[in-house]
Amino acid sequence: MVGLLSVYHCAKRTASACPISGLYTTTRTLRHSPPRPDLRRDETVDHNASAITEPRDETPQTTKTKKKFSELPKLYILPDGSIAKPLEQWQSGDDGLLTKSVDLDYAAAGNLLRQIETRTSVSDMVEESKFEDVEETIPKARRRKKKEPETTEQQESLKPKKRPRKKDTEANDAVPKKPKRVVKPKAVEASDGLPQGILADEIRENLSKFPHCLLLTRVGNFYESYFDQAIEISKILNIKLASRKWGGGRVPMCGFPLQHIDKHLKVMVQQHKRFVAMCEEFPQYTSSDERKFERRVVRVITPGTLIDESFLNQYENNYLLAVSAPPEDTSGTGSPTLGLAWIDVSTGEFYSKRTSFGGLRDEITRIGPQEIVLHKDLEERSTHPAIEAAAEEGNVVSFVTPLSPPVDCDVDPDTSLTPRATEVNVTDEITMVQDTSPFVYTTEETAAIALLTTYLRANLLEHMPPLLLPNREDSGNRMQIDSHTIKALEIRESMREGGVRGSLLSSVKRTITTSGTRLLARWLLLRSRKLTPDSLLSLFFHSRPHFRSDLLGLLAKAEDAGRIVQKFLLGKGDPNDLLALTATVNIWSNLQYRVNHEREAESIEQRPLNAVEWASLDVLMNRMVNLQDLAQRISLAVESPALSQLDEPFDLSEEDNEFGLDSSRLQWRYGRMKFGIKIKPEFSPALLELNTLLKDLWKQKAKMEEKLQLKYDAPSLTLRSSPGQGMHVHLAKSKRDHRLLSADPTFVSMNETGTTRTYFYQDWAQLGQKIFTTSIDVLAAEKEAFETLRQEVNLHAPSLRRNARVLDELDVTLAFAQLAIDMNFVRPSIQEDATYNVVNGRHPTVELGLLTSGRVFTPNTVTMTPSSQFHVITGPNMAGKSTLLRQTALIAILAQSGSFVPADAATLGIADKLFSRVGAKDDLFHDRSTFMVEMLETAEILRRATPRSLVIMDEVGRGTTVKDGIALAFATIHHLVTVNRCRTLFATHFHELSDMLGYTESSFFGQGIFETVAFHCTSVDEIEAGSFSYSYRLRPGVNRDSHGLKVAQLAGMPHLAVAVAQNVLTALKGKPTIDLDPDELASIGQTSSMTV
């Protein structure tokens, strides 16, 4: 931008210094280099002739040189015959590019918007036409231009007049005139006060099509926004707000360079949850070689439709969920009347299932979608259960009307679903082959699929991929975890920090690949209740450390093949992705080779081979498809680039060789990606022929350069090309080497600096043009070859996805084995009954945190059988009750995920559901107190728990009075024992419950209907000098002292407050709190205060 302005001022000074009366313009100056001081007034440059007709004047050079009048471009002449003022179009000048503070811009922009009735958009401020229009929102006071002194006719007659030489005139006539620049029609103002024009019409049309989106229009190398959206976007992105003269008025505008698009999309889409419509420009050439631009929206970016953006989390899925719900509220029936369909656009993983209103919150929490799509009919029903469930989790909710619900999901072109008759288990293990056809979906699922595909088609637009049939989840064979439990147990993210740190996922993660980490997160939240072959793989790798180490080394080199394949299906991807895909395919082959080699070596050592141990690995490896042919074809076609070539930026300066000095081809781009990769000439005969011709032309160029260096004794002479000067001869040391060249009329001086000179040379211009044309042909052929390879990858997409899934499962099972080695985990024994026996179990997350601080975790043993399936746990605060409850649930999750567990031994019966009521929190946004949240969670457990479920409950009834709390806690125990009859750990400080349940110290069990209730407790070890320590060991019995004052003392409560609390506690001991009347309590209060 500064360079263009300096060119303008240079031209202005040159024009004003010339004593001529002709016309001139600065517009042409912007398109060419600055005035060349090396041209004398008696020289004429002819870029088409091989020689100069006028002999060169050898008189000494003057200090200043001027361009000839004939070389200056002409200005536009008004209809009345007068000359347009030269500087009229430069009113804004440098000052027009200055901006005020953001606050002042917003205030001024508000005044501008009063003149505008509808939205439109604007272009950026760097192109040539924009410098004429862009001004600051609040213009600064400009310096007034000094007025030229008026000259009288007598003074004008005294000035010397120079006559043009005759030969110069003839020479000027010999120079072919350049075609006049086509002046684009400026935007005019319509009768309604809105700007009119091609760009304005396109922007207004796009705004009317996408009124719910922030529109970003690409103009040149910038994305821009205008009018009211410019004000909003400038605030969101914290960028400058400017204005532009358009249609007789000024409109607010803002913009940013192309390379900042991902950074700003992250702010708009991820942080502010806004939809962004991307309007790209596409050049079109008319029959007269005039270039025009077509601008259209190619994609709407939403939180749930991210593809390959740099801010996309590689370790998490980015799901878009569609919920098909009936307009009426049928939540009371409990029947599965809802259909769910969700997809990760970045990987292509597509699932569907049925559920009920009661389970909708659990499914939303488990899936973790970034965006939820509902039917348009529900938009006005804010109290509908589906909308409430979506809003409760804080998800972005969109509404859409399906175009045509698919009748048969086997083959339905309307939904872009591709049949996959031979590949049922491609994407995920969740798809199970059932008695009925796996491609027959319920009515609810079909409606959800229609919603999802309609929404994808409306937003992905030109990037809409062909969708595979969704995999159906079978909830009947899965352990279901409710939404409260997922959050309370911190399975996927920590409640304290909100990130992965401190969660179960971060504690057990030993995966190598990003896709393997995503699969691990899904397994922890939804894993099969039945034993599968791959659940034995972790034990297989655990016993073979060297084999495990070799496989982990291969996995470390693998790329995220699932997302790479999806990029190609979405019309994206570049040669780097092709090479990454080839490397991953080779890794798959190496894995198969290493597995076969290990089997052969083990068969030699152990005769016969233990086929049972190898069965699980054989099942997994047999699912892989041999894709070496595809990898070999890509390797033969694509040439790996040098590392320096990939890292260096794509920027050609005016002095750099446009063709590349060290390469025989042009650097070229595909979309926004730089192509630092060359397609090998042997890929096709046409490409081979073009590369041969190009190499021959470059040899001619090298010979010509060497010949000129010798002939004119100019070692610094090089043949170059630049956008500003075209094909030219460059002298790096002009003072030493220019003498012979300047004397030769075939070299026309173009530019001169203090140390360098450039010349026009016709022979090099002709040869350079051939090189340029051939290079363009090579690039076109390479692009065609790349598109051919892209189509081949798309054809092999199902097989590539299958192999990628196998690699992910291999990564997770290897991670489980490595975790067992690192943290001393053991393999659990999974049973079909309702037992739970864990010897010296440990909390995986707490143990890891203690180890980092040099401390050791105290393990505990938990045994639940049909005769003692309900445990009541009492004990002091901070003595480990909540930790014990949580570790019991986490061990069950790890065991059913196929992982090793933190214990010395573990035998667990399969649980169909896992519930928890732990922790204390309120939900004021939904008008729920802490006690209300507690009761909601308790009620849900009592309604949904089954005899095969596992339940952990902590401090039920503590948020209310003692009487109400004890009553509610007892009622909860009674319902769980008599109705639900599930395995339960119930921690409480209400030791009165033990008496109500019939506790006896002789048996440590309850009586009557509570005979299956066992009692356990933790305690505090008193040490001399008033010190104490927590034992954290679980033992049979009841602890009737919570030792709350000790926790207060550890927390740093003032000694006076602790003393008062001790006096009150001493007075209350021995007296039943329930029987105390107000007078007794008042007496205790007064006495305790006076004795301090």
Side-chain angles (χ1 to χ4, degrees):
M1 182 167 61
V2 176
L4 290 176
L5 291 174
S6 62
V7 169
Y8 156 69
H9 290 302
C10 181
K12 184 174 70 173
R13 288 194 300 269
T14 303
S16 61
C18 295
I20 56 177
S21 58
L23 306 180
Y24 73 96
T25 179
T26 60
T27 306
R28 298 295 295 182
T29 308
L30 286 174
R31 300 177 59 88
H32 296 281
S33 304
R36 300 180 294 228
D38 56 305
L39 284 179
R40 294 185 294 273
R41 290 187 53 81
D42 58 341
E43 293 180 354
T44 303
V45 180
D46 185 0
H47 291 280
N48 298 320
S50 60
I52 302 299
T53 57
E54 181 66 23
R56 187 180 299 271
D57 187 3
E58 298 297 336
T59 58
Q61 294 284 344
T62 60
T63 57
K64 290 186 178 181
T65 58
K66 307 298 182 182
K67 293 181 65 173
K68 295 176 65 69
F69 165 74
S70 58
E71 293 178 345
L72 292 176
K74 304 299 184 290
L75 232 183
Y76 180 74
I77 299 178
L78 299 177
D80 59 356
S82 61
I83 301 172
K85 296 181 180 180
L87 298 180
E88 193 69 314
Q89 56 184 331
W90 290 93
Q91 290 181 6
S92 56
D94 293 338
D95 294 339
L97 299 177
L98 300 177
T99 54
K100 298 291 185 181
S101 64
V102 178
D103 296 335
L104 294 178
D105 288 343
Y106 297 150
N111 297 329
L112 296 173
L113 286 176
R114 296 190 185 99
Q115 305 172 8
I116 303 166
E117 296 180 0
T118 62
R119 296 179 175 175
T120 95
S121 135
V122 69
S123 81
D124 214 301
M125 32 182 156
V126 171
E127 288 186 35
E128 174 187 344
S129 61
K130 302 179 184 109
F131 282 97
E132 301 175 359
D133 295 332
V134 177
E135 289 187 2
E136 57 181 345
T137 308
I138 303 179
K140 285 185 175 181
R142 302 187 186 90
R143 295 180 181 179
R144 294 187 177 182
K145 189 171 55 178
K146 293 183 179 181
K147 295 183 178 181
E148 296 288 342
E150 297 181 0
T151 58
T152 60
E153 295 181 1
Q154 182 179 3
Q155 292 174 339
E156 187 70 26
S157 61
L158 294 176
K159 289 184 178 180
K161 296 182 179 180
K162 296 184 178 180
R163 294 181 300 172
R165 299 181 181 179
K166 183 177 182 182
K167 292 184 178 181
D168 289 346
T169 306
E170 294 175 357
N172 292 338
D173 296 337
V175 177
K177 295 183 180 180
K178 295 182 180 180
K180 294 183 179 180
R181 180 186 176 190
V182 179
V183 180
K184 296 181 180 180
K186 294 185 178 180
V188 298
E189 186 175 359
S191 57
D192 55 359
L194 298 175
Q196 298 291 323
I198 297 178
L199 178 60
D201 293 342
E202 291 171 341
I203 292 173
R204 295 174 64 185
E205 181 181 1
N206 290 331
L207 284 172
S208 62
K209 289 182 179 179
F210 305 95
H212 61 293
C213 302
L214 297 176
L215 179 65
L216 292 180
T217 303
R218 178 172 176 177
V219 182
N221 293 325
F222 282 75
Y223 283 108
E224 302 168 350
S225 178
Y226 302 87
F227 299 103
D228 55 343
Q229 284 199 354
I231 300 176
E232 183 178 5
I233 291 177
S234 62
K235 288 182 178 180
I236 292 175
L237 302 182
N238 194 23
I239 60 178
K240 288 292 184 179
L241 179 68
S243 66
R244 170 180 173 172
K245 183 178 180 182
W246 205 5
R250 306 205 64 82
V251 297
M253 65 164 291
C254 66
F256 52 84
L258 292 180
Q259 59 267 27
H260 296 166
I261 181 63
D262 285 340
K263 176 181 69 175
H264 293 318
L265 282 178
K266 179 179 181 180
V267 176
M268 290 186 288
V269 178
Q270 277 197 338
Q271 297 181 12
H272 292 270
K273 307 299 182 183
R274 298 301 304 271
F275 296 178
V276 180
M278 303 299 297
C279 179
E280 302 289 345
E281 65 178 6
F282 302 90
Q284 295 180 345
Y285 296 90
T286 62
S287 57
S288 59
D289 293 335
E290 182 182 356
R291 185 175 66 170
K292 296 182 178 180
F293 289 99
E294 176 193 3
R295 293 181 178 88
R296 64 177 183 271
V297 175
V298 298
R299 179 188 169 199
V300 176
I301 302 178
T302 70
T305 58
L306 301 180
I307 298 176
D308 61 345
E309 284 71 20
S310 61
F311 55 86
L312 182 63
N313 193 335
Q314 301 298 319
Y315 295 94
E316 296 179 1
N317 284 105
N318 194 82
Y319 284 125
L320 172 68
L321 171 65
V323 180
S324 173
E328 299 80 13
D329 183 2
T330 59
S331 56
T333 62
S335 58
T337 57
L338 300 181
L340 304 180
W342 64 99
I343 187 174
D344 186 345
V345 179
S346 65
T347 62
E349 295 165 297
F350 194 7
Y351 308 103
S352 70
K353 70 172 298 182
R354 282 200 310 169
T355 188
S356 61
F357 280 102
L360 179 59
R361 285 183 175 87
D362 300 341
E363 297 297 340
I364 292 176
T365 303
R366 177 181 65 84
I367 296 170
Q370 297 297 320
E371 188 177 354
I372 298 177
V373 181
L374 298 175
H375 200 284
K376 189 72 173 178
D377 295 341
L378 303 179
E379 187 173 6
E380 302 298 332
R381 304 185 181 185
S382 59
T383 59
H384 194 277
I387 297 181
E388 290 181 348
E392 184 174 350
E393 299 299 329
N395 297 103
V396 178
V397 181
S398 302
F399 299 89
V400 67
T401 302
L403 299 179
S404 55
V407 179
D408 183 7
C409 287
D410 287 338
V411 180
D412 184 20
D414 290 339
T415 56
S416 301
L417 295 178
T418 303
R420 190 180 65 239
T422 60
E423 300 185 10
V424 178
N425 252 349
V426 171
T427 305
D428 204 326
E429 89 292 348
I430 293 177
T431 301
M432 304 297 294
V433 180
Q434 304 171 359
D435 296 336
T436 59
S437 172
F439 303 127
V440 176
Y441 299 90
T442 63
T443 304
E444 295 83 7
E445 290 176 286
T446 302
I449 295 172
L451 279 174
L452 188 65
T453 53
T454 301
Y455 187 79
L456 288 176
R457 190 182 299 108
N459 290 281
L460 293 181
L461 299 175
E462 299 183 10
H463 294 284
M464 179 68 184
L467 298 179
L468 298 176
L469 291 172
N471 294 279
R472 300 184 64 192
E473 281 192 0
D474 183 12
S475 300
N477 293 323
R478 311 283 163 178
M479 181 175 70
Q480 301 178 30
I481 308 177
D482 71 309
S483 59
H484 306 297
T485 303
I486 294 175
K487 298 175 183 177
L489 297 183
E490 301 177 308
I491 299 176
R492 190 164 48 197
E493 62 181 15
S494 172
M495 295 180 63
R496 182 180 181 87
E497 299 181 2
V500 179
R501 179 181 175 86
S503 65
L504 175 65
L505 177 61
S506 66
S507 301
V508 302
K509 176 188 174 299
R510 297 297 187 277
T511 49
I512 301 297
T513 64
T514 57
S515 54
T517 304
R518 297 195 299 266
L519 180 62
L520 173 61
R522 292 201 299 274
W523 278 11
L524 291 177
L525 291 174
L526 187 73
R527 191 63 171 125
S528 176
R529 286 164 42 196
K530 297 181 179 179
L531 295 178
T532 56
D534 56 18
S535 63
L536 303 176
L537 270 178
S538 55
L539 179 64
F540 176 84
F541 291 127
H542 182 270
S543 60
R544 294 165 174 81
H546 298 291
F547 184 37
R548 183 181 69 251
S549 178
D550 292 344
L551 296 183
L552 288 174
L554 291 173
L555 287 178
K557 303 175 183 178
E559 300 286 345
D560 196 341
R563 281 189 166 168
I564 292 176
V565 172
Q566 186 69 2
K567 286 170 65 176
F568 283 109
L569 291 173
L570 291 166
K572 291 178 171 287
D574 54 60
N576 284 322
D577 295 323
L578 281 179
L579 291 178
L581 201 59
T582 303
T584 304
V585 172
N586 292 332
I587 290 174
W588 295 339
S589 300
N590 293 336
L591 283 172
Q592 291 177 314
Y593 172 80
R594 183 64 184 88
V595 169
N596 295 333
H597 179 73
E598 183 71 15
R599 182 187 287 105
E600 294 175 0
E602 194 167 314
S603 62
I604 296 175
E605 297 176 0
Q606 304 175 6
R607 295 180 182 273
L609 181 69
N610 191 342
V612 177
E613 293 183 357
W614 280 86
S616 57
L617 183 59
D618 291 338
V619 170
L620 184 64
M621 299 305 294
N622 289 337
R623 289 165 52 188
M624 296 192 72
V625 181
N626 188 359
L627 296 172
Q628 275 303 117
D629 293 340
L630 176 63
Q632 185 177 5
R633 179 163 172 78
I634 296 176
S635 299
L636 293 177
V638 181
E639 184 176 302
S640 300
L643 294 178
S644 60
Q645 189 179 11
L646 286 177
D647 295 336
E648 74 176 3
F650 183 80
D651 186 16
L652 294 176
S653 63
E654 188 170 321
E655 296 297 331
D656 291 337
N657 191 330
E658 189 175 337
F659 301 130
L661 296 176
D662 299 327
S663 175
S664 61
R665 62 189 295 276
L666 274 169
Q667 294 282 358
W668 55 287
R669 292 171 178 263
Y670 189 87
R672 299 206 314 265
M673 299 299 298
K674 175 186 173 182
F675 270 61
I677 299 176
K678 177 184 177 183
I679 303 295
K680 296 180 179 178
E682 296 79 10
F683 182 78
S684 65
L687 191 58
L688 179 61
E689 180 180 355
L690 288 172
N691 276 274
T692 303
L693 176 59
L694 185 59
K695 290 180 179 180
D696 181 65
L697 292 174
W698 274 91
K699 289 180 180 179
Q700 296 181 32
K701 180 254 183 186
K703 291 180 180 179
M704 179 183 293
E705 187 174 88
E706 182 180 4
K707 179 182 177 181
L708 294 176
Q709 290 174 352
L710 295 175
K711 181 178 179 181
Y712 293 98
D713 191 20
S716 64
L717 182 147
T718 55
L719 302 179
R720 294 190 177 186
S721 172
S722 67
Q725 295 179 331
M727 313 298 173
H728 61 274
V729 178
H730 181 267
L731 286 181
K733 297 182 179 180
S734 60
K735 294 182 179 180
R736 183 190 68 184
D737 301 337
H738 82 284
R739 181 169 301 178
L740 295 178
L741 282 175
S742 299
D744 193 334
T746 59
F747 290 87
V748 181
S749 180
M750 300 175 62
N751 192 16
E752 179 182 356
T753 64
T755 58
T756 65
R757 286 194 183 190
T758 57
Y759 299 88
F760 172 80
Y761 183 52
Q762 185 177 11
D763 292 347
W764 163 234
Q766 295 175 351
L767 178 61
Q769 183 63 32
K770 292 181 181 179
I771 294 176
F772 179 79
T773 304
T774 308
S775 299
I776 295 299
D777 294 338
V778 171
L779 300 184
E782 288 180 345
K783 290 181 181 179
E784 183 179 356
F786 175 74
E787 289 299 324
T788 302
L789 295 174
R790 181 202 296 274
Q791 295 300 324
E792 293 185 15
V793 171
N794 292 346
L795 290 176
H796 290 84
S799 298
L800 290 168
R801 281 174 166 167
R802 175 192 289 268
N803 288 5
R805 172 56 197 236
V806 172
L807 194 72
D808 296 342
E809 292 188 17
L810 192 63
D811 187 18
V812 175
T813 52
L814 285 169
F816 285 156
Q818 190 63 41
L819 175 67
I821 299 296
D822 295 342
M823 302 299 295
N824 193 24
F825 285 12
V826 298
R827 178 178 177 268
S829 175
I830 306 298
Q831 306 294 332
E832 292 291 339
D833 55 12
T835 61
Y836 187 99
N837 183 22
V838 175
V839 179
N840 290 330
R842 311 185 300 275
H843 193 296
T845 304
V846 176
E847 182 186 24
L848 185 61
L850 292 175
L851 288 175
T852 56
S853 60
R855 301 169 61 189
V856 180
F857 186 89
T858 302
N860 275 301
T861 300
V862 176
T863 301
M864 287 185 286
T865 62
S867 60
S868 62
Q869 62 181 6
F870 197 104
H871 290 190
V872 175
I873 303 173
T874 57
N877 298 101
M878 289 290 294
K881 299 191 303 299
S882 297
T883 301
L884 176 65
L885 266 60
R886 286 179 168 90
Q887 83 180 35
T888 301
L890 293 179
I891 289 175
I893 292 173
L894 290 175
Q896 294 192 206
S897 298
S899 171
F900 292 74
V901 297
D904 293 345
T907 301
L908 293 87
I910 295 177
D912 62 346
K913 297 178 182 179
L914 179 62
F915 297 98
S916 71
R917 211 299 341 134
V918 293
K921 61 182 183 301
D922 54 25
D923 188 3
L924 299 181
F925 182 79
H926 295 96
D927 195 20
R928 298 170 184 170
S929 65
T930 303
F931 185 70
M932 183 62 180
V933 172
E934 177 186 328
M935 288 296 99
L936 287 173
E937 296 174 359
T938 302
E940 187 172 2
I941 293 174
L942 298 183
R943 288 197 310 266
R944 300 175 58 186
T946 68
R948 300 297 299 271
S949 301
L950 177 62
V951 177
I952 60 172
M953 304 190 76
D954 188 16
E955 303 295 345
V956 175
R958 65 178 171 182
T960 184
T961 64
V962 176
K963 295 179 181 180
D964 290 350
I966 292 177
L968 288 171
F970 180 81
T972 302
I973 295 175
H974 181 275
H975 196 280
L976 289 171
V977 171
T978 60
V979 179
N980 303 106
R981 293 176 295 175
C982 56
R983 292 167 288 180
T984 306
L985 293 183
F986 191 95
T988 182
H989 286 288
F990 296 145
H991 56 83
E992 294 87 355
L993 290 173
S994 60
D995 299 328
M996 300 174 68
L997 297 174
Y999 166 74
T1000 59
E1001 294 185 357
S1002 59
S1003 63
F1004 304 111
F1005 280 90
Q1007 298 178 3
I1009 61 174
F1010 304 110
E1011 60 182 1
T1012 59
V1013 178
F1015 294 87
H1016 297 270
C1017 66
T1018 58
S1019 60
V1020 172
D1021 298 331
E1022 299 286 348
I1023 306 175
E1024 58 183 14
S1027 301
F1028 62 92
S1029 65
Y1030 296 105
S1031 65
Y1032 300 112
R1033 281 287 185 179
L1034 195 66
R1035 61 177 179 83
V1038 175
N1039 192 330
R1040 299 181 183 275
D1041 194 348
S1042 295
H1043 297 279
L1045 270 64
K1046 291 182 171 59
V1047 178
Q1049 183 178 350
L1050 289 176
M1053 183 175 285
H1055 296 292
L1056 178 61
V1058 174
V1060 171
Q1062 185 63 51
N1063 293 337
V1064 174
L1065 182 61
T1066 303
L1068 291 176
K1069 279 187 175 181
K1071 298 181 179 181
T1073 306
I1074 300 177
D1075 298 334
L1076 291 176
D1077 57 32
D1079 294 336
E1080 289 182 280
L1081 293 175
S1083 175
I1084 292 174
Q1086 295 296 325
T1087 304
S1088 300
S1089 302
M1090 295 172 61
T1091 56
V1092 175

